[in-house]
Amino acid sequence: MESNDLWSSGFVAEPTFWINHASRLIMREFEQLLRPLGFGTAYLPVVMLLEQHRELQQRQLADFVRVEQPTMAALLTRMQRDGLIVRTPHPTDARSSLISLSPKALERLPEVMAVLGDGVGRALDGVPEEDRAALQRILRIVVTNLGGIP
Amino acid sequence: MESNDLWSSGFVAEPTFWINHASRLIMREFEQLLRPLGFGTAYLPVVMLLEQHRELQQRQLADFVRVEQPTMAALLTRMQRDGLIVRTPHPTDARSSLISLSPKALERLPEVMAVLGDGVGRALDGVPEEDRAALQRILRIVVTNLGGIP
DNA sequence: TTGCTTTCCATAGCACCCTATGTATTGTGA
DNA sequence: TCACAATACATAGGGTGCTATGGAAAGCAA
C-alpha cells in the first residue's frame, strides 16, 4: 500500500482534488517565502490592484479579487495591522472609506515580487511553456464554470 | 478597467494564482454540496483511506493525505463530532489510537459520492478528457516540485 | 419629504490548513 | 538497565476563506 494509492484512485483522483492539493502546497510555499517580508500570500492581489488604481473601496477590492466581503474586510485588517494600507474617509459616502497603499508597501513591493518569482519558478519547474498556457486555459474554464468570472 | 484585468496581468496571472483561485471556488462549491449531508470536503480523503484500510493511526492518515499532523488532528475531531469515525485504543502503543469509520459514515458514503460526482462534473464541464489528463499530469509535476510526493 | 430598498461594512462563527511547542510513550545504544 | 533520542499526539496561535446577520448611510419612489 503506497501512499500514492490515495491520490491515484477513486474520486480523490479527480483533477479537482489535484487542484486543491497543489493549491495547499503553493500556499505553504509562498507563505514561508513571504513571512520574512511581513507579507501574506493573500495581500498580493490587493497590492496589485491598489498599485494600479491608487485608491479603491473595500467593495471594489472584494469584487475584483473575487472573495466575499467579510473575507476582504479581514484581509484589509491584517494589511492595515502590518502597515501596508491606509484608509481615508470616502468624500461623499459616509459608509465607505478609500483604501490606498502605504509608502512602506510600495517600498517593499520589488522584493516581494522577486521572492514570489522564485516561488512561482520553483513550483512550475519542469513545466514547459505550452503546458503552463494549457494549465491557465483549462483552469480558466473551471473558474468560469464555478462562477468565478461574471 | 475590467475586473478581469487583475487576473490577466502581472504576477497574479501566473498559473499558481489560477490554481489557488480555482481551488477556492471548488472548495466553495463542494462545501455547499456536502453541507446537507453533514460532510466536509476535507473528510473525503480520510473516508477513502479508512474504507480501504479499515483502521489507521492519525499519523498514517496525515502522511497519506499529506497534511500536517495538527491539521489531521483537528480534522478527525470534526469528523468524530459528526459521528463519522471511531477511535479505539491502539493495542500495543499507548500513545496512539486506531481510527475507523462508523456505520453512519459507510451508510452515507454512496450519497456523498453521487453529490460529489455532480460537483466534479460541473467544475470540469466543457473540459475534454485529454485536457483533464493534461491537468492532472501538470499538477502532478507541481505537487512533486513542492514536496507533495516523497 | 417620507418610507422602503439597496448598498457598504462590521461581527460572529466555522472550515481548513500551517508553524511552533509541549507531553507522554516507545525505542535504542551504552 | 538507564539515559537519550525518536515518535505520536495535543495545544496554542495565525492565515485564508465562507455563510449568516445586523447596523447605518444612501438611493429612490410615492
mmCIF file of all heavy atoms in Angstrom, chain B residues 31 41 68 70-71 78 81 94-95, chain C residues 15-20 24-26:
data_model
loop_
_atom_site.group_PDB
_atom_site.id
_atom_site.type_symbol
_atom_site.label_atom_id
_atom_site.label_comp_id
_atom_site.label_asym_id
_atom_site.label_seq_id
_atom_site.Cartn_x
_atom_site.Cartn_y
_atom_site.Cartn_z
ATOM 1 N N GLU B 31 -18.269 22.502 -0.558
ATOM 2 C CA GLU B 31 -18.736 22.712 0.807
ATOM 3 C C GLU B 31 -20.266 22.836 0.827
ATOM 4 O O GLU B 31 -20.933 22.280 1.694
ATOM 5 C CB GLU B 31 -18.085 23.979 1.363
ATOM 6 C CG GLU B 31 -17.733 23.909 2.835
ATOM 7 C CD GLU B 31 -16.599 22.931 3.102
ATOM 8 O OE1 GLU B 31 -15.592 22.919 2.336
ATOM 9 O OE2 GLU B 31 -16.712 22.152 4.061
ATOM 10 N N THR B 41 -15.575 18.858 2.962
ATOM 11 C CA THR B 41 -14.752 18.496 1.814
ATOM 12 C C THR B 41 -13.494 17.731 2.251
ATOM 13 O O THR B 41 -13.095 16.774 1.606
ATOM 14 C CB THR B 41 -14.313 19.757 1.055
ATOM 15 O OG1 THR B 41 -15.470 20.546 0.760
ATOM 16 C CG2 THR B 41 -13.602 19.385 -0.237
ATOM 17 N N GLU B 68 -0.377 18.291 7.618
ATOM 18 C CA GLU B 68 0.406 18.231 8.851
ATOM 19 C C GLU B 68 -0.385 17.537 9.950
ATOM 20 O O GLU B 68 -1.617 17.471 9.892
ATOM 21 C CB GLU B 68 0.809 19.638 9.288
ATOM 22 C CG GLU B 68 1.655 20.370 8.270
ATOM 23 C CD GLU B 68 2.943 19.602 7.946
ATOM 24 O OE1 GLU B 68 3.547 19.069 8.881
ATOM 25 O OE2 GLU B 68 3.324 19.539 6.763
ATOM 26 N N PRO B 70 -1.138 18.325 13.116
ATOM 27 C CA PRO B 70 -2.200 19.050 13.827
ATOM 28 C C PRO B 70 -3.435 19.284 12.953
ATOM 29 O O PRO B 70 -4.560 19.328 13.473
ATOM 30 C CB PRO B 70 -1.537 20.386 14.190
ATOM 31 C CG PRO B 70 -0.082 20.122 14.158
ATOM 32 C CD PRO B 70 0.118 19.113 13.060
ATOM 33 N N THR B 71 -3.217 19.418 11.651
ATOM 34 C CA THR B 71 -4.345 19.571 10.740
ATOM 35 C C THR B 71 -5.213 18.318 10.769
ATOM 36 O O THR B 71 -6.442 18.398 10.854
ATOM 37 C CB THR B 71 -3.846 19.815 9.306
ATOM 38 O OG1 THR B 71 -3.070 21.009 9.286
ATOM 39 C CG2 THR B 71 -5.001 19.950 8.337
ATOM 40 N N ARG B 78 -13.349 17.023 14.149
ATOM 41 C CA ARG B 78 -14.608 17.404 13.494
ATOM 42 C C ARG B 78 -15.379 16.164 13.033
ATOM 43 O O ARG B 78 -16.593 16.069 13.203
ATOM 44 C CB ARG B 78 -14.311 18.298 12.285
ATOM 45 C CG ARG B 78 -14.372 19.781 12.559
ATOM 46 C CD ARG B 78 -13.975 20.585 11.335
ATOM 47 N NE ARG B 78 -12.532 20.648 11.165
ATOM 48 C CZ ARG B 78 -11.891 20.546 10.006
ATOM 49 N NH1 ARG B 78 -12.566 20.367 8.897
ATOM 50 N NH2 ARG B 78 -10.583 20.610 9.960
ATOM 51 N N ARG B 81 -16.918 14.498 15.959
ATOM 52 C CA ARG B 81 -18.075 15.299 16.388
ATOM 53 C C ARG B 81 -19.290 14.975 15.518
ATOM 54 O O ARG B 81 -20.419 14.890 16.010
ATOM 55 C CB ARG B 81 -17.725 16.776 16.280
ATOM 56 C CG ARG B 81 -18.876 17.714 16.615
ATOM 57 C CD ARG B 81 -18.682 19.068 15.947
ATOM 58 N NE ARG B 81 -18.600 18.944 14.494
ATOM 59 C CZ ARG B 81 -18.239 19.914 13.679
ATOM 60 N NH1 ARG B 81 -17.873 21.074 14.166
ATOM 61 N NH2 ARG B 81 -18.216 19.721 12.373
ATOM 62 N N ALA B 94 0.534 2.929 23.630
ATOM 63 C CA ALA B 94 -0.343 3.732 24.490
ATOM 64 C C ALA B 94 -0.445 5.175 24.032
ATOM 65 O O ALA B 94 -1.326 5.916 24.469
ATOM 66 C CB ALA B 94 0.161 3.691 25.933
ATOM 67 N N ARG B 95 0.454 5.600 23.137
ATOM 68 C CA ARG B 95 0.395 6.990 22.667
ATOM 69 C C ARG B 95 -0.665 7.169 21.584
ATOM 70 O O ARG B 95 -1.138 8.277 21.348
ATOM 71 C CB ARG B 95 1.751 7.393 22.065
ATOM 72 C CG ARG B 95 2.893 7.371 23.030
ATOM 73 C CD ARG B 95 4.199 7.479 22.260
ATOM 74 N NE ARG B 95 4.369 6.370 21.327
ATOM 75 C CZ ARG B 95 5.426 6.238 20.522
ATOM 76 N NH1 ARG B 95 6.383 7.152 20.533
ATOM 77 N NH2 ARG B 95 5.517 5.208 19.728
ATOM 78 P P DA C 15 -16.976 23.715 11.609
ATOM 79 O OP1 DA C 15 -17.832 22.539 11.442
ATOM 80 O OP2 DA C 15 -15.982 23.797 12.693
ATOM 81 O "O5'" DA C 15 -16.210 23.962 10.222
ATOM 82 C "C5'" DA C 15 -16.955 24.096 9.036
ATOM 83 C "C4'" DA C 15 -16.024 24.079 7.841
ATOM 84 O "O4'" DA C 15 -15.306 25.324 7.780
ATOM 85 C "C3'" DA C 15 -14.961 22.980 7.892
ATOM 86 O "O3'" DA C 15 -14.764 22.499 6.572
ATOM 87 C "C2'" DA C 15 -13.739 23.717 8.439
ATOM 88 C "C1'" DA C 15 -13.912 25.101 7.840
ATOM 89 N N9 DA C 15 -13.346 26.192 8.646
ATOM 90 C C8 DA C 15 -13.579 26.434 9.974
ATOM 91 N N7 DA C 15 -12.939 27.487 10.428
ATOM 92 C C5 DA C 15 -12.254 27.976 9.323
ATOM 93 C C6 DA C 15 -11.394 29.073 9.146
ATOM 94 N N6 DA C 15 -11.072 29.922 10.129
ATOM 95 N N1 DA C 15 -10.886 29.284 7.925
ATOM 96 C C2 DA C 15 -11.219 28.427 6.940
ATOM 97 N N3 DA C 15 -12.011 27.361 6.977
ATOM 98 C C4 DA C 15 -12.499 27.187 8.218
ATOM 99 P P DC C 16 -13.866 21.200 6.340
ATOM 100 O OP1 DC C 16 -14.337 20.608 5.085
ATOM 101 O OP2 DC C 16 -13.854 20.433 7.596
ATOM 102 O "O5'" DC C 16 -12.403 21.768 6.128
ATOM 103 C "C5'" DC C 16 -12.098 22.472 4.933
ATOM 104 C "C4'" DC C 16 -10.718 23.068 5.071
ATOM 105 O "O4'" DC C 16 -10.714 24.085 6.084
ATOM 106 C "C3'" DC C 16 -9.642 22.064 5.492
ATOM 107 O "O3'" DC C 16 -8.725 21.968 4.425
ATOM 108 C "C2'" DC C 16 -9.028 22.681 6.752
ATOM 109 C "C1'" DC C 16 -9.412 24.135 6.612
ATOM 110 N N1 DC C 16 -9.435 24.935 7.865
ATOM 111 C C2 DC C 16 -8.748 26.149 7.881
ATOM 112 O O2 DC C 16 -8.168 26.523 6.866
ATOM 113 N N3 DC C 16 -8.724 26.869 9.038
ATOM 114 C C4 DC C 16 -9.366 26.425 10.109
ATOM 115 N N4 DC C 16 -9.317 27.181 11.216
ATOM 116 C C5 DC C 16 -10.084 25.201 10.104
ATOM 117 C C6 DC C 16 -10.092 24.485 8.961
ATOM 118 P P DC C 17 -7.685 20.810 4.367
ATOM 119 O OP1 DC C 17 -7.547 20.476 2.946
ATOM 120 O OP2 DC C 17 -8.089 19.787 5.349
ATOM 121 O "O5'" DC C 17 -6.321 21.470 4.865
ATOM 122 C "C5'" DC C 17 -5.692 22.451 4.053
ATOM 123 C "C4'" DC C 17 -4.754 23.301 4.858
ATOM 124 O "O4'" DC C 17 -5.500 24.065 5.828
ATOM 125 C "C3'" DC C 17 -3.728 22.531 5.692
ATOM 126 O "O3'" DC C 17 -2.453 22.553 5.072
ATOM 127 C "C2'" DC C 17 -3.652 23.295 7.000
ATOM 128 C "C1'" DC C 17 -4.562 24.483 6.793
ATOM 129 N N1 DC C 17 -5.224 24.781 8.073
ATOM 130 C C2 DC C 17 -4.850 25.940 8.742
ATOM 131 O O2 DC C 17 -4.047 26.701 8.209
ATOM 132 N N3 DC C 17 -5.369 26.172 9.967
ATOM 133 C C4 DC C 17 -6.226 25.312 10.509
ATOM 134 N N4 DC C 17 -6.708 25.583 11.715
ATOM 135 C C5 DC C 17 -6.640 24.125 9.823
ATOM 136 C C6 DC C 17 -6.112 23.894 8.594
ATOM 137 P P DC C 18 -1.236 21.784 5.774
ATOM 138 O OP1 DC C 18 -0.506 21.086 4.718
ATOM 139 O OP2 DC C 18 -1.760 21.018 6.922
ATOM 140 O "O5'" DC C 18 -0.348 22.969 6.361
ATOM 141 C "C5'" DC C 18 -0.346 24.243 5.743
ATOM 142 C "C4'" DC C 18 0.483 25.200 6.582
ATOM 143 O "O4'" DC C 18 -0.401 25.856 7.529
ATOM 144 C "C3'" DC C 18 1.567 24.511 7.392
ATOM 145 O "O3'" DC C 18 2.854 25.002 7.102
ATOM 146 C "C2'" DC C 18 1.230 24.776 8.842
ATOM 147 C "C1'" DC C 18 0.174 25.849 8.817
ATOM 148 N N1 DC C 18 -0.856 25.468 9.806
ATOM 149 C C2 DC C 18 -0.951 26.220 10.971
ATOM 150 O O2 DC C 18 -0.204 27.178 11.127
ATOM 151 N N3 DC C 18 -1.850 25.857 11.907
ATOM 152 C C4 DC C 18 -2.636 24.790 11.696
ATOM 153 N N4 DC C 18 -3.511 24.476 12.640
ATOM 154 C C5 DC C 18 -2.557 24.023 10.489
ATOM 155 C C6 DC C 18 -1.658 24.384 9.580
ATOM 156 P P DT C 19 4.079 24.206 7.803
ATOM 157 O OP1 DT C 19 5.174 24.244 6.828
ATOM 158 O OP2 DT C 19 3.643 22.922 8.374
ATOM 159 O "O5'" DT C 19 4.447 25.145 9.038
ATOM 160 C "C5'" DT C 19 4.695 26.527 8.844
ATOM 161 C "C4'" DT C 19 4.971 27.190 10.183
ATOM 162 O "O4'" DT C 19 3.794 27.095 11.015
ATOM 163 C "C3'" DT C 19 6.113 26.549 10.983
ATOM 164 O "O3'" DT C 19 6.896 27.581 11.554
ATOM 165 C "C2'" DT C 19 5.393 25.720 12.035
ATOM 166 C "C1'" DT C 19 4.116 26.507 12.270
ATOM 167 N N1 DT C 19 2.974 25.687 12.697
ATOM 168 C C2 DT C 19 2.322 25.984 13.873
ATOM 169 O O2 DT C 19 2.652 26.895 14.588
ATOM 170 N N3 DT C 19 1.269 25.175 14.177
ATOM 171 C C4 DT C 19 0.799 24.102 13.435
ATOM 172 O O4 DT C 19 -0.150 23.440 13.807
ATOM 173 C C5 DT C 19 1.535 23.846 12.207
ATOM 174 C C7 DT C 19 1.125 22.717 11.333
ATOM 175 C C6 DT C 19 2.569 24.631 11.905
ATOM 176 P P DA C 20 8.251 27.185 12.311
ATOM 177 O OP1 DA C 20 9.175 28.318 12.035
ATOM 178 O OP2 DA C 20 8.663 25.808 11.964
ATOM 179 O "O5'" DA C 20 7.843 27.223 13.860
ATOM 180 C "C5'" DA C 20 6.873 28.153 14.297
ATOM 181 C "C4'" DA C 20 6.700 28.049 15.814
ATOM 182 O "O4'" DA C 20 5.517 27.266 16.108
ATOM 183 C "C3'" DA C 20 7.840 27.348 16.555
ATOM 184 O "O3'" DA C 20 7.962 27.936 17.838
ATOM 185 C "C2'" DA C 20 7.354 25.900 16.629
ATOM 186 C "C1'" DA C 20 5.862 26.126 16.883
ATOM 187 N N9 DA C 20 4.997 25.015 16.472
ATOM 188 C C8 DA C 20 5.114 24.241 15.354
ATOM 189 N N7 DA C 20 4.179 23.313 15.253
ATOM 190 C C5 DA C 20 3.403 23.495 16.382
ATOM 191 C C6 DA C 20 2.256 22.843 16.855
ATOM 192 N N6 DA C 20 1.675 21.820 16.230
ATOM 193 N N1 DA C 20 1.723 23.275 18.031
ATOM 194 C C2 DA C 20 2.310 24.307 18.655
ATOM 195 N N3 DA C 20 3.388 24.999 18.298
ATOM 196 C C4 DA C 20 3.889 24.540 17.140
ATOM 197 P P DA C 24 3.014 14.548 30.787
ATOM 198 O OP1 DA C 24 2.005 14.779 31.850
ATOM 199 O OP2 DA C 24 4.453 14.715 31.064
ATOM 200 O "O5'" DA C 24 2.791 13.093 30.192
ATOM 201 C "C5'" DA C 24 1.721 12.873 29.273
ATOM 202 C "C4'" DA C 24 2.079 11.707 28.371
ATOM 203 O "O4'" DA C 24 2.961 12.157 27.318
ATOM 204 C "C3'" DA C 24 2.813 10.576 29.098
ATOM 205 O "O3'" DA C 24 2.197 9.354 28.731
ATOM 206 C "C2'" DA C 24 4.235 10.664 28.575
ATOM 207 C "C1'" DA C 24 3.994 11.215 27.174
ATOM 208 N N9 DA C 24 5.140 11.899 26.585
ATOM 209 C C8 DA C 24 5.917 12.862 27.150
ATOM 210 N N7 DA C 24 6.879 13.305 26.365
ATOM 211 C C5 DA C 24 6.720 12.562 25.201
ATOM 212 C C6 DA C 24 7.430 12.551 24.001
ATOM 213 N N6 DA C 24 8.478 13.325 23.742
ATOM 214 N N1 DA C 24 7.005 11.696 23.041
ATOM 215 C C2 DA C 24 5.961 10.912 23.297
ATOM 216 N N3 DA C 24 5.213 10.837 24.388
ATOM 217 C C4 DA C 24 5.656 11.695 25.327
ATOM 218 P P DT C 25 2.520 8.048 29.573
ATOM 219 O OP1 DT C 25 1.241 7.577 30.131
ATOM 220 O OP2 DT C 25 3.682 8.293 30.450
ATOM 221 O "O5'" DT C 25 2.969 7.023 28.435
ATOM 222 C "C5'" DT C 25 2.245 7.001 27.212
ATOM 223 C "C4'" DT C 25 3.158 6.513 26.121
ATOM 224 O "O4'" DT C 25 4.169 7.498 25.837
ATOM 225 C "C3'" DT C 25 3.901 5.204 26.442
ATOM 226 O "O3'" DT C 25 3.559 4.261 25.454
ATOM 227 C "C2'" DT C 25 5.377 5.593 26.410
ATOM 228 C "C1'" DT C 25 5.358 6.809 25.494
ATOM 229 N N1 DT C 25 6.477 7.758 25.634
ATOM 230 C C2 DT C 25 7.312 7.989 24.559
ATOM 231 O O2 DT C 25 7.194 7.423 23.488
ATOM 232 N N3 DT C 25 8.305 8.903 24.786
ATOM 233 C C4 DT C 25 8.539 9.614 25.956
ATOM 234 O O4 DT C 25 9.467 10.408 26.034
ATOM 235 C C5 DT C 25 7.636 9.326 27.039
ATOM 236 C C7 DT C 25 7.808 10.029 28.344
ATOM 237 C C6 DT C 25 6.658 8.426 26.831
ATOM 238 P P DT C 26 4.114 2.752 25.566
ATOM 239 O OP1 DT C 26 3.015 1.859 25.161
ATOM 240 O OP2 DT C 26 4.768 2.587 26.872
ATOM 241 O "O5'" DT C 26 5.231 2.717 24.424
ATOM 242 C "C5'" DT C 26 4.969 3.373 23.186
ATOM 243 C "C4'" DT C 26 6.222 3.376 22.330
ATOM 244 O "O4'" DT C 26 7.093 4.457 22.720
ATOM 245 C "C3'" DT C 26 7.062 2.101 22.392
ATOM 246 O "O3'" DT C 26 7.359 1.706 21.073
ATOM 247 C "C2'" DT C 26 8.288 2.514 23.189
ATOM 248 C "C1'" DT C 26 8.412 3.984 22.817
ATOM 249 N N1 DT C 26 9.108 4.847 23.800
ATOM 250 C C2 DT C 26 10.159 5.631 23.386
ATOM 251 O O2 DT C 26 10.568 5.645 22.248
ATOM 252 N N3 DT C 26 10.716 6.418 24.366
ATOM 253 C C4 DT C 26 10.331 6.490 25.693
ATOM 254 O O4 DT C 26 10.901 7.227 26.485
ATOM 255 C C5 DT C 26 9.235 5.645 26.064
ATOM 256 C C7 DT C 26 8.746 5.647 27.472
ATOM 257 C C6 DT C 26 8.677 4.865 25.120
#
